[in-house]
Amino acid sequence: MAERRATHADSWYSGDARHLSRELEGWLSKAGRLPKPARAVICPHAGYRYSGPTAAYSFKQIDPNTVRTIFILGPSHHVRLNGCAVSQCLSYATPFYNLEIDTDISQDLLDTGAFEVMSLEADEDEHSIEMQLPYLAKVMEPARGMFKIVPILVGSISNSAEAKYGKILAKYLEDPSVCFVISSDFCHWGQRFRYTHYDQNQGDIYQSIEVLDREGMNLIERLDAPGFASYLKKTSNTICGRHPIGVFLNMVTEMRKHSNGTRMDMNFLDYSQSNQVKSSRDSSVSYAAGAFVIH
């Protein structure tokens, strides 16, 4: 199967390359850059008018001079998936240019027996991976034609399965020419999401949501896989990319077993909400941008 179409262009983001380029450049210009480039980033995946400004803080940390392979881990919103799946396509289209898939790595993952192949319909229906592609094409433009991507759709998997996939993928995270993009929004709050947790001690509803999100973000910053899993069990926070995040945290856990004390830092750089909820009739989705650096 040759190419995955940019099925969410002209709805979730502009399909016009010139307009989209100006928009992304504007957001990227407002985001600071860390002293060291990221080896992994956490990025939102909503429509760009909602999460585009926050996502820029993550993508600004990717260095096109060193990165040659980009894994994109996105949660499955539409198909029931008991594990993880790779794409059958050779490339993914964006309004800028096509991103070539590293089919050798995809095959290596299939050879482990732990991955399946997603159907083209599931691939094109899913937005969690696609929403990372225009930004990646933009920031990696200096390396156009010199890098490849590895899209991975992550299903509703158990904590033990997160650990299993973390072990498989850890060796790639150890490679300084590889960057991981972990696709996730944070709290989906409101009756339409069937989640209305509200701690009145924190102030308005939107302030309670931020406190809840930041509790989880703090555990991610501590790279605490069991702690993050316990937090989700305790709060049921509707973090849609909780399984990709869980896989990533387990990759770091695996790396630490033979890292000889190498310093690793995870920091969130920006946080926003689609709406400041003050009424139980309202709803919102939260977005966070984070970067993982190895020193």
Side-chain angles (χ1 to χ4, degrees):
M1 197 66 65
E3 179 187 302
R4 180 201 182 278
R5 299 170 298 157
T7 50
H8 294 75
D10 293 316
S11 52
W12 290 54
Y13 57 91
S14 174
D16 178 86
R18 277 186 175 178
H19 179 271
L20 182 60
S21 182
R22 283 195 304 270
E23 200 169 40
L24 299 186
E25 283 171 5
W27 291 326
L28 286 164
S29 70
K30 292 172 184 165
R33 183 178 274 122
L34 295 172
K36 289 203 75 171
R39 298 278 281 274
V41 291
I42 293 177
C43 306
H45 54 235
Y48 279 4
R49 69 192 180 105
Y50 297 110
S51 67
T54 290
Y57 284 81
S58 294
F59 288 105
K60 190 72 171 270
Q61 315 313 322
I62 297 176
D63 182 6
N65 296 312
T66 55
V67 171
R68 293 296 174 261
T69 307
I70 301 170
F71 284 74
I72 310 161
L73 273 58
S76 177
H77 287 84
H78 304 293
V79 296
R80 288 187 66 83
L81 188 60
N82 295 321
C84 292
V86 296
S87 178
Q88 60 181 271
C89 297
L90 299 178
S91 66
Y92 277 13
T94 80
F96 299 126
Y97 56 93
N98 284 10
L99 302 182
E100 186 181 349
I101 290 178
D102 192 321
T103 53
D104 289 338
I105 292 180
S106 293
Q107 188 58 54
D108 287 345
L109 295 177
L110 287 171
D111 289 345
T112 67
F115 291 77
E116 56 187 276
V117 178
M118 59 181 122
S119 69
L120 182 62
E121 182 183 14
D123 203 341
E124 293 193 330
D125 281 351
E126 183 53 60
H127 64 274
S128 70
I129 293 174
E130 180 180 341
M131 296 309 294
Q132 314 304 331
L133 306 179
Y135 253 124
L136 284 174
K138 182 67 181 170
V139 299
M140 291 296 293
E141 208 154 18
R144 181 175 175 176
M146 297 187 291
F147 74 97
K148 295 181 181 181
I149 63 170
V150 184
I152 298 176
L153 194 62
V154 181
S156 295
I157 56 178
S158 65
N159 296 148
S160 61
E162 289 173 0
K164 177 182 77 173
Y165 287 106
K167 282 184 179 179
I168 293 170
L169 295 171
K171 68 176 183 180
Y172 300 104
L173 185 61
E174 291 171 354
D175 183 341
S177 70
V178 171
C179 184
F180 275 78
V181 174
I182 311 300
S183 178
S184 184
D185 295 334
F186 275 71
C187 184
H188 297 61
W189 196 96
Q191 292 172 11
R192 69 192 182 104
F193 299 118
R194 298 189 183 90
Y195 190 76
T196 53
H197 166 85
Y198 177 28
D199 180 355
Q200 296 186 9
N201 294 323
Q202 305 303 335
D204 284 320
I205 295 171
Y206 73 90
Q207 293 168 310
S208 169
I209 293 169
E210 179 166 356
V211 168
L212 176 70
D213 279 333
R214 289 199 181 274
E215 185 185 346
M217 291 159 66
N218 288 340
L219 289 160
I220 296 168
E221 286 187 329
R222 280 159 40 189
L223 299 167
D224 183 353
F228 184 63
S230 297
Y231 157 83
L232 291 170
K233 193 172 182 180
K234 179 185 77 175
T235 66
S236 300
N237 193 3
T238 45
I239 300 173
C240 56
R242 57 193 174 276
H243 298 300
I245 293 171
V247 171
F248 162 70
L249 292 175
N250 278 281
M251 288 161 54
V252 176
T253 299
E254 187 65 19
M255 277 180 65
R256 277 178 159 168
K257 291 178 182 176
H258 46 85
S259 65
N260 297 320
T262 302
R263 196 172 129 223
M264 306 175 190
D265 289 326
M266 177 79 209
N267 289 291
F268 280 96
L269 310 172
D270 195 54
Y271 174 84
S272 60
Q273 296 172 351
S274 62
N275 180 36
Q276 287 202 338
V277 175
K278 294 182 179 179
S279 163
S280 60
R281 295 185 299 277
D282 289 343
S283 64
S284 75
V285 180
S286 308
Y287 314 116
F292 172 74
V293 172
I294 299 177
H295 297 278

